[in-house]
Amino acid sequence: MDLTQFNFSILKKFDRTLESNIERLVKNADSIEEDLSPIELKGMLCEALGLDILDSNSSQVVDQGENIQITFAYILKCLSLYPLQNEMYQNWNKHVALFDQAELTGFSEQSIAELHQFIQSIVVTGHNQVHLSLEQMKQPSCLVIQLLIHLDAILTLDSNMEPLCFTQLFKFRFNKNKPYGPSSSFSDFIIYSLASHANKKPLEKLPTISSFDKYLNTELVDDDSDNDGTEHPSIKTMRQLLKKMRAEYRFCYLTDIDQFFTTPFDQVKLIFDDLYEKITESNSRFLLSRTINDEDFVAFNDMNALWLIYYFQFLVYEAQKTNSPEVLQGLSATREFMDLWKMFYVPNGKKATFQWPTQFNDVAKVT
């Protein structure tokens, strides 16, 4: 796994427009024969990112671009998943910091040894404890999976739900010989979350897409829109996205999730412009110096975490689609994955308030 390309691919998938703009920027830069000045490059980058004004930190990012490494920790920072403030997240913060140092040093023997020692110190003790060898730890893909599984364990621990491995929910099960891929399972979870939120209590069954309208965040729909009996454009767009996700035709970008769970991004930026500027400054500072300030408060964003897990599953799914169904089914049923997940699993001390719908439990069943 080339982590540089992997990290950059995640960054592009934040926004459908951002991905196309960056791709166009790269093509335009390649087509220009003479060397571009920093000001010209800065202008092209501003256009690609849709930035009217660059603050001092963003300017530094452009000026010092040759010295910047976009690592997985930076992706987590942008997703509001690192650093997390609470004692319960101290192992997660240390895990990300050690991985970031390892990635910056090209996974040196010393950095791998420190990461290996740390993980062995936090895994669940007992006769089922998993011991990873240093050889396994030298594989970047294995280290990324460990981070995702650790993130998955935080999701379970930070919820009031019956313990269920979220990553297993998004792994590739086959129900009645029909593919149950990451996009279709993720769309099921989005509908379930919307419906549970709208009803102010968890549902016992997974809602159908035909009942989608009543579960939408009303802030997404203009209150003064004409009620002429036609479907609102926003509702139509989201319904089409869900249908295509369920049919595995379309990947769900991070901004697609915002359509369901928040007001549109432009409105958020308009209302919280100061907050947006602080977040941008904080991310830029981390990208340049890896420093974190006390003001960098990050509240755990569970939908961003689920999206990142879904993104990784989607990559694997796309790579495996050309194989027979048995290959993908076998990949999703590996005991090794569950053993890795158990390394970070801590039983939820508080009583779960509800159980998952049977559809989710059936798909998540370990085979």
Side-chain angles (χ1 to χ4, degrees), residues 73-83 282-283 286 296 298:
Y74 175 69
I75 300 297
L76 293 170
K77 182 83 168 61
C78 291
L79 289 173
S80 296
L81 300 175
Y82 171 79
S282 173
N283 290 345
F286 178 81
D296 291 344
V298 180

Side-chain angles (χ1 to χ4, degrees), residues 127-317:
H127 66 282
N128 290 325
Q129 182 174 343
V130 180
H131 295 275
L132 288 178
S133 67
L134 275 171
E135 284 301 315
Q136 290 174 295
M137 296 287 289
K138 291 178 181 178
Q139 303 175 28
S141 58
C142 180
L143 298 177
V144 170
I145 291 175
Q146 286 177 29
L147 278 170
L148 292 175
I149 295 174
H150 194 166
L151 188 62
D152 177 20
I154 292 175
L155 280 166
T156 301
L157 192 64
D158 203 36
S159 72
N160 61 346
M161 304 173 183
E162 175 193 31
L164 172 69
C165 178
F166 280 83
T167 309
Q168 279 293 306
L169 173 63
F170 298 124
K171 287 182 74 66
F172 322 124
R173 300 295 170 183
F174 286 78
N175 187 19
K176 296 181 180 179
N177 298 319
K178 293 182 180 180
Y180 195 80
S183 288
S184 60
S185 58
F186 194 47
S187 67
D188 282 345
F189 187 81
I190 288 175
I191 292 176
Y192 175 78
S193 298
L194 285 170
S196 296
H197 179 74
N199 284 267
K200 298 182 179 179
K201 66 177 182 179
L203 301 184
E204 295 181 358
K205 293 183 179 180
L206 183 66
T208 62
I209 196 170
S210 61
S211 61
F212 174 58
D213 294 20
K214 64 181 179 181
Y215 300 130
L216 283 177
N217 186 336
T218 55
E219 292 177 324
L220 292 170
V221 183
D222 299 330
D223 293 333
D224 57 352
S225 58
D226 295 332
N227 187 13
D228 56 1
T230 60
E231 190 173 41
H232 191 281
S234 295
I235 297 178
K236 183 177 180 180
T237 298
M238 287 181 276
R239 186 193 297 277
Q240 290 175 342
L241 172 62
L242 283 172
K243 286 183 176 180
K244 290 180 179 180
M245 285 178 65
R246 291 163 83 89
E248 293 296 327
Y249 294 154
R250 179 175 290 180
F251 175 80
C252 181
Y253 287 76
L254 192 62
T255 46
D256 291 335
I257 297 179
D258 289 340
Q259 294 183 77
F260 298 106
F261 294 96
T262 67
T263 55
F265 180 78
D266 288 342
Q267 294 182 27
V268 173
K269 184 179 177 183
L270 180 65
I271 298 171
F272 303 110
D273 194 53
D274 290 342
L275 176 61
Y276 176 79
E277 183 177 347
K278 288 180 180 178
I279 293 174
T280 302
E281 183 178 336
S282 173
N283 290 345
S284 301
R285 183 174 60 250
F286 178 81
L287 187 60
L288 287 168
S289 62
R290 324 314 277 192
T291 57
I292 299 169
N293 289 357
D294 292 337
E295 298 87 33
D296 291 344
F297 175 78
V298 180
F300 182 65
N301 190 317
D302 54 355
M303 285 309 301
N304 282 1
L306 287 167
W307 177 85
L308 186 60
I309 292 171
Y310 154 68
Y311 175 79
F312 186 79
Q313 302 289 347
F314 190 88
L315 289 184
V316 179
Y317 178 77

Side-chain angles (χ1 to χ4, degrees), residues 19-63:
E19 180 178 29
S20 60
N21 287 348
I22 290 180
E23 289 176 352
R24 185 167 59 251
L25 165 65
V26 172
K27 289 182 180 179
N28 290 342
D30 288 342
S31 65
I32 300 175
E33 295 182 359
E34 67 272 11
D35 292 336
L36 295 173
S37 67
I39 295 179
E40 290 174 316
L41 286 173
K42 187 182 299 184
M44 294 177 69
L45 182 62
C46 288
E47 182 181 358
L49 299 179
L51 297 175
D52 296 326
I53 300 174
L54 279 174
D55 58 36
S56 58
N57 281 281
S58 299
S59 299
Q60 285 180 312
V61 169
V62 178
D63 295 338

